Amino acid sequence: MITFEHVTKQYADGTVAIEDVSFTVEEGTTTVLVGPSGCGKTTTMKLVNRLEDPTEGTVYRDGTPLSEFDRIDLRRNTGYVIQEIGLFDHMTVGENIATVPRLNGWDEDEIDARIDELLELMDLPPESYREQHPPELSGGQRQRVGVARALASDPDVLLMDEPFGALDPITRESLQDEFLKIQAELDTTILFVTHSIDEALKMGDRIAIFDVGEVVQYDTPQAILDEPKNEFVEDFIGSDRPLKKLKVTQVEDVMSPPTEEVATAGGVADATAPVQSDGGSTVSPLEPTDTALSALSRLVASEDGRLPVVEDGDVVGTVSDEDIRRSNAGDKP
Amino acid sequence: MLSSVHNWLAYVDFAVEHSDRLLVATLEHIEIIAFAIAIAVPIGVGLGFLITFDDRLATAVIWLAGVMMTVPSIALFGLLIPYFGIGAPSVIVALVLYTQLPVIRNTYVGLNDVDPAALEAGEAMGMTRLQLLRRVQLPIALPVIMAGVRNAVVILIGIATIGAFIGAGGLGDLLFDGISYVRTEMIVVTTVILSLLALAVDYAFSISEQLFRLNNGEQVESSATMRLLQRVIS
């Protein structure tokens, strides 16, 4: 748990990066700091591993003020991923990942095993990537190594500053998805900085929206979309707020109970079979964990007004245009 | 045609006849340079590292080292004799001063050349200033520093010759004798040895620079010697 209590940071040249910021990052969650450039989100993040120290106020980790920690120990227990990645080009991928474990004095055997484990986790087979040097890798692969390096000594806190910002949209999307999966397996507290509200809504359990040096709204993605606190937040989310809401809503939250019609034996067989879409490619049936947005897009393309939702081969509900509209208006079905 | 062959034979004759003296002079020459480099490199690298902390200091130090190089060697020897006496010590001090520009400058450039993001990442991962230097900055800067040292050694081989003027010995002795007694073959043979020495040292350093780069995982156009070395190592 990380707590910011009335934190102000003024740089030596007089610029105030953040002013009187207070919020708490819960253990094991991902909190996204989002806002336009120059809003102080990166400074806020750097306070957590003491790359910066606050001018006023206190940052606590699990109730202990950060000033009581040794800077070096604190950093070795805090993962750090940045947009520029900052891999050490003169070391191999394996050596890069081994950085913090080596600093912490682990056994070489332990380190070896950890490198392989992390490379597997990042979907980079150790036998082909371990001995490579970073310049030989693609941008996406380099950032995977960056994340692996940050996770190497299993830190309690992971700081990520626009980690996927420099990647092309397709690589970014797939890395986000993979990271969400990895994140579900970790119990790390993550502080994620981005300027993209879409990324914030996708990655965050909670979102802190920054505007020039202050936190304007700190809430769950749902709550921010449902009730933007002021015009700034509304503008920041953009005019497609209803669609963004559908993106953070899961089908199981909007679906109706299965109807007689599709629940009949024939119906089920039909529903669970892969559907042929217009393009001729096969589309698997809707699952409860799909987003409401993808349900809507399938409804638009489909001739039926109501689609079955399938989990492990059983129809667990149906979803219609009407269900989605109702959820977007705010009421649960 | 006949006379050029005759000359050539005269050079070989001279080299064979005076091989003892040539060998001793060459070894003396190498000894002076080795001493100078052994003193110069730690000082230059240290200064180069120190000035990475302060840009204004860096400009001043590099400017001063540059000025050093413009002082004629004879004048510098003259200035040093009152402090270090006639002979090798004065020459070695002068040589150390002459090497400072390439060594300091390349150290400074090499250390500053490290990707700022890598430095930030290193700091954020909990490396101390010294660990950052040893594990990140120095390995990346090493090939560049080597290039500076290589530059310095080649300059020294030439300048050390003039050291003979104040009694430091080395190949310069033979050159000055050749000039005094108007013995062309003596001048030519000594010059050839000096050039070969410079080329050999230059080549040896370029190989070691490549080895450092390869060790850093950089792509290097390997020379024939490199490939041979790699084969021997593997």
Side-chain angles (χ1 to χ4, degrees), chain A residues 176-310:
Chain A
Q176 285 170 345
D177 292 338
E178 274 174 51
F179 187 70
L180 281 172
K181 278 191 209 128
I182 293 167
Q183 183 197 338
E185 293 167 29
L186 304 170
D187 49 3
T188 313
T189 308
I190 301 170
L191 210 60
F192 193 109
V193 168
T194 178
H195 62 262
S196 151
I197 184 72
D198 288 302
E199 192 169 52
L201 292 169
K202 182 173 180 178
M203 309 303 288
D205 297 316
R206 297 199 128 217
I207 297 176
I209 298 187
F210 276 70
D211 183 21
V212 277
E214 51 180 333
V215 176
V216 189
Q217 188 167 5
Y218 179 53
D219 228 323
T220 61
Q222 272 292 351
I224 283 177
L225 289 169
D226 285 341
E227 281 173 63
K229 207 169 184 178
N230 60 21
E231 210 174 319
F232 173 80
V233 176
E234 236 183 294
D235 286 348
F236 195 71
I237 295 169
S239 54
D240 59 344
R241 183 151 62 97
L243 286 180
K244 291 199 164 104
K245 253 167 99 172
L246 293 182
K247 237 186 194 171
V248 301
T249 311
Q250 290 190 336
V251 167
E252 61 186 339
D253 295 328
V254 301
M255 67 189 183
S256 306
T259 56
E260 292 282 310
E261 193 191 325
V262 281
T264 57
V268 174
D270 239 24
T272 51
V275 187
Q276 204 81 0
S277 81
D278 283 348
S281 59
T282 348
V283 177
S284 54
L286 270 180
E287 286 177 35
T289 51
D290 282 335
T291 66
L293 187 68
S294 71
L296 181 68
S297 98
R298 288 190 204 198
L299 276 168
V300 171
S302 134
E303 284 165 11
D304 302 323
R306 186 166 278 281
L307 292 176
V309 181
V310 179

Side-chain angles (χ1 to χ4, degrees), chain B residues 181-220:
Chain B
Y181 303 123
V182 204
R183 290 185 62 181
T184 318
E185 70 275 13
M186 200 166 186
I187 301 175
V188 171
V189 169
T190 314
T191 309
V192 168
I193 293 176
L194 279 168
S195 301
L196 287 178
L197 190 61
L199 285 173
V201 167
D202 189 57
Y203 193 69
F205 272 91
S206 84
I207 293 292
S208 67
E209 191 186 323
Q210 279 192 18
L211 277 175
F212 280 122
R213 288 193 191 276
L214 278 175
N215 199 29
N216 280 358
E218 286 176 47
Q219 297 301 317
V220 177

Side-chain angles (χ1 to χ4, degrees), chain A residues 75-76 80 88-90 149, chain B residues 118 120 123-124 126 131 135:
Chain A
R75 288 177 189 162
R76 288 182 190 173
Y80 192 72
F88 305 135
D89 289 348
H90 64 291
R149 183 176 68 172
Chain B
E120 186 186 334
E123 194 190 352
Q131 284 167 333
R135 298 184 189 211

Side-chain angles (χ1 to χ4, degrees), chain B residues 13-31:
Chain B
D13 273 350
F14 176 86
V16 174
E17 216 171 295
H18 295 85
S19 58
D20 282 358
R21 194 178 168 201
L22 285 169
L23 185 69
V24 171
T26 308
L27 290 179
E28 266 177 16
H29 209 83
I30 293 173
E31 198 182 336

Side-chain angles (χ1 to χ4, degrees), chain B residues 97-144:
Chain B
L97 291 172
Y98 279 119
T99 53
Q100 291 306 294
L101 181 66
V103 178
I104 294 176
R105 189 191 48 205
N106 280 43
T107 306
Y108 177 70
V109 169
L111 290 176
N112 269 341
D113 211 27
V114 178
D115 178 13
L119 290 182
E120 186 186 334
E123 194 190 352
M125 281 189 288
M127 286 190 183
T128 61
R129 189 74 191 79
L130 219 63
Q131 284 167 333
L132 207 55
L133 180 73
R134 210 168 56 80
R135 298 184 189 211
V136 182
Q137 285 179 290
L138 267 184
I140 294 175
L142 217 47
V144 186

